Amino acid sequence: MVSERRSSPHSDPAGHPPLIETLDRAGLRITGPRRAVADLIDARSGLFSAQDLLDDAGRKRVPIGRATVFRALDLLEELGVVERIELPDGGHAYVACEPAHHHHAVCDGCGRVREVDDHALTDAIAEIERHTGWTVSGHRLELYGRCPECRTTAPAEASRS
Amino acid sequence: MVSERRSSPHSDPAGHPPLIETLDRAGLRITGPRRAVADLIDARSGLFSAQDLLDDAGRKRVPIGRATVFRALDLLEELGVVERIELPDGGHAYVACEPAHHHHAVCDGCGRVREVDDHALTDAIAEIERHTGWTVSGHRLELYGRCPECRTTAPAEASRS
DNA sequence: GAGGATATGAGACATGGTCTCGGAAAGACG
DNA sequence: CGTCTTTCCGAGACCATGTCTCATATCCTC
Ligand SMILES: [Zn+2]
Ligand SMILES: [Zn+2]
Ligand SMILES: [Zn+2]
Ligand SMILES: [Zn+2]
């Protein structure tokens, strides 16, 4: 479990279209399980783990195989609408997001995730290439901290360094 | 296994002092196993996994417990001289490095790792904080690409995207 | 509908890491 | 040195997160 989301009015925070649509537009088969996984993800906000989805599914009495969930996540990840991110503690979690290249800021208070664009980093990387003679073909950046809501409220509530 | 290192003359690439010294200076107990792990790491260059160390140890007939290797890695990581980094494919690997904050460029040809400093990124993050209202307390950046040596040689050899 | 391509689910397997616990050994001190 | 206390170690169970296999079920096209 990644972090129990308090049910908030953020069910569709960034106004993503339903994920299932992405599968459809990509010409992939729309199957029951895929729709189910897509819906489960749509119903969440912020971080989630594959296990979270499995748990959700169990709670809603929608039986889905473990492998299927991972396969669906792989698909969605390839399509760029779900990303697997690295947590500060070394664990992984997934998050729904836009296909365009970007990065994520993760709130360690509430698990909210905010997409962050790339601008400044692109320059920084060009600079690094010039400096080092390396060719940088990809990168991964994750930011950790507190969202505006959590910054003003109690700084308490879990979080490892 | 993270990537079989071709034995190269880079045994001590950045001129790190022996890792065992770090443990010593930190006032930690110098035990046989810790020394062994430190030496095994010193003898490597580039990326390695805990399993790599275990294999090395086996080959050299230096029996070390699995848990002990992980414990030593944890220690060294806390001291900042070893870091666990995320690979493009989602796997993990360790690498010896300087304690100062920095990031890593990983060559997908040969597994070499180069430390990269933080300058431009710091500005970028300040900018993001101003923009989003978030407080960013930590971050993680990994660069993937090709080192100068590998760029000139065959672009072959594994690597996904 | 019927049929062939494709996806699913159960569960074995793999990997990477943690935990527990009795026994071993470092280091302090005399 | 020898002893004592504290810490560490190793074996192996355990766990979480994924992946694979293969027989079965489902889509989707015709
Ligand atoms: Zn928050
Ligand atoms: Zn980027
Ligand atoms: Zn290289
Ligand atoms: Zn940095």
Side-chain angles (χ1 to χ4, degrees), chain A residues 23 28 42 44 51-53 58 78 83 87 95 111 131 144:
Chain A
L23 290 174
L28 293 166
D42 284 333
R44 284 198 157 256
Q51 191 56 51
D52 288 337
L53 297 183
E78 254 159 53
E83 203 167 306
L87 302 177
V95 63
H131 249 73
Y144 310 111

Side-chain angles (χ1 to χ4, degrees), chain A residues 85-101:
Chain A
I85 68 185
E86 167 106 0
L87 302 177
D89 69 8
H92 290 145
Y94 300 85
V95 63
C97 60
E98 297 298 327
H101 178 82

Side-chain angles (χ1 to χ4, degrees), chain A residues 84 86 89-92 105-108 112-114 116 120-121 124-125 128 132-148 151, chain B residues 84 86-87 89-90 92 105-108 112-114 116 120-121 124-125 128 132-148 151:
Chain A
R84 196 172 83 154
E86 167 106 0
D89 69 8
H92 290 145
V106 182
C107 176
D108 61 28
R112 258 191 204 81
V113 173
R114 150 109 198 202
V116 162
L121 184 55
I125 290 176
I128 287 165
T132 63
W134 282 54
T135 303
V136 174
S137 56
H139 62 268
R140 161 181 286 276
L141 170 66
E142 253 106 50
L143 304 175
Y144 310 111
R146 300 216 139 218
C147 68
R151 195 168 30 127
Chain B
R84 198 173 82 156
E86 167 107 0
L87 302 177
D89 69 8
H92 290 145
V106 181
C107 176
D108 59 31
R112 257 191 206 81
V113 173
R114 150 111 198 199
V116 161
L121 185 55
I125 289 175
I128 287 165
T132 63
W134 282 54
T135 303
V136 174
S137 56
H139 62 269
R140 160 181 288 277
L141 170 66
E142 253 105 51
L143 303 174
Y144 311 111
R146 301 214 137 220
C147 68
R151 194 166 31 127

Side-chain angles (χ1 to χ4, degrees), chain A residues 1-5 46-50 52 87 92-94 111 160:
Chain A
M1 199 256 331
V2 150
S3 82
E4 207 47 68
R5 205 100 334 286
L47 296 173
F48 60 90
S49 67
D52 288 337
L87 302 177
H92 290 145
Y94 300 85
R160 20 232 166 309

Side-chain angles (χ1 to χ4, degrees), chain B residues 39-160:
Chain B
D39 289 351
L40 289 174
I41 297 175
D42 283 333
R44 288 200 154 253
S45 75
L47 296 173
F48 61 90
S49 66
Q51 192 55 52
D52 288 337
L53 297 183
L54 253 354
D55 293 347
D56 290 358
R59 230 172 287 126
K60 298 192 177 178
R61 301 293 150 85
V62 185
I64 314 182
R66 229 164 78 83
T68 303
V69 170
F70 282 104
R71 286 188 281 234
L73 285 170
D74 286 350
L75 266 186
L76 293 168
E77 198 174 3
E78 253 159 54
L79 295 175
V81 290
V82 158
E83 203 167 305
R84 198 173 82 156
I85 68 184
E86 167 107 0
L87 302 177
D89 69 8
H92 290 145
Y94 299 85
V95 63
C97 59
E98 296 298 327
H101 178 83
H102 64 272
H103 302 289
H104 293 116
V106 181
C107 176
D108 59 31
C110 66
R112 257 191 206 81
V113 173
R114 150 111 198 199
E115 302 191 5
V116 161
D117 94 327
D118 212 30
H119 280 35
L121 185 55
T122 313
D123 296 344
I125 289 175
E127 177 71 19
I128 287 165
E129 290 187 303
R130 215 171 321 124
H131 249 73
T132 63
W134 282 54
T135 303
V136 174
S137 56
H139 62 269
R140 160 181 288 277
L141 170 66
E142 253 105 51
L143 303 174
Y144 311 111
R146 301 214 137 220
C147 68
E149 282 82 354
C150 290
R151 194 166 31 127
T152 59
T153 66
E157 176 142 15
S159 116
R160 16 230 161 314

Side-chain angles (χ1 to χ4, degrees), chain A:
Chain A
M1 199 256 331
V2 150
S3 82
E4 207 47 68
R5 205 100 334 286
R6 16 187 161 326
S7 64
S8 70
H10 292 259
S11 303
D12 195 3
H16 301 294
L19 283 180
I20 191 68
E21 223 169 85
T22 308
L23 290 174
D24 197 10
R25 254 182 280 119
L28 293 166
R29 277 201 183 168
I30 305 305
T31 68
R34 280 177 185 173
R35 183 185 302 279
V37 171
D39 290 350
L40 289 175
I41 296 175
D42 284 333
R44 284 198 157 256
S45 75
L47 296 173
F48 60 90
S49 67
Q51 191 56 51
D52 288 337
L53 297 183
L54 253 353
D55 293 346
D56 290 357
R59 230 170 288 126
K60 298 192 177 178
R61 298 296 149 85
V62 185
I64 314 183
R66 236 163 75 82
T68 302
V69 169
F70 281 104
R71 285 189 283 237
L73 285 171
D74 286 349
L75 268 185
L76 293 168
E77 197 174 3
E78 254 159 53
L79 295 175
V81 291
V82 159
E83 203 167 306
R84 196 172 83 154
I85 68 185
E86 167 106 0
L87 302 177
D89 69 8
H92 290 145
Y94 300 85
V95 63
C97 60
E98 297 298 327
H101 178 82
H102 63 272
H103 302 287
H104 293 116
V106 182
C107 176
D108 61 28
C110 66
R112 258 191 204 81
V113 173
R114 150 109 198 202
E115 302 191 4
V116 162
D117 94 329
D118 213 25
H119 280 35
L121 184 55
T122 312
D123 296 345
I125 290 176
E127 176 72 19
I128 287 165
E129 290 187 303
R130 215 171 323 123
H131 249 73
T132 63
W134 282 54
T135 303
V136 174
S137 56
H139 62 268
R140 161 181 286 276
L141 170 66
E142 253 106 50
L143 304 175
Y144 310 111
R146 300 216 139 218
C147 68
E149 282 82 354
C150 290
R151 195 168 30 127
T152 59
T153 67
E157 175 140 15
S159 114
R160 20 232 166 309
S161 162

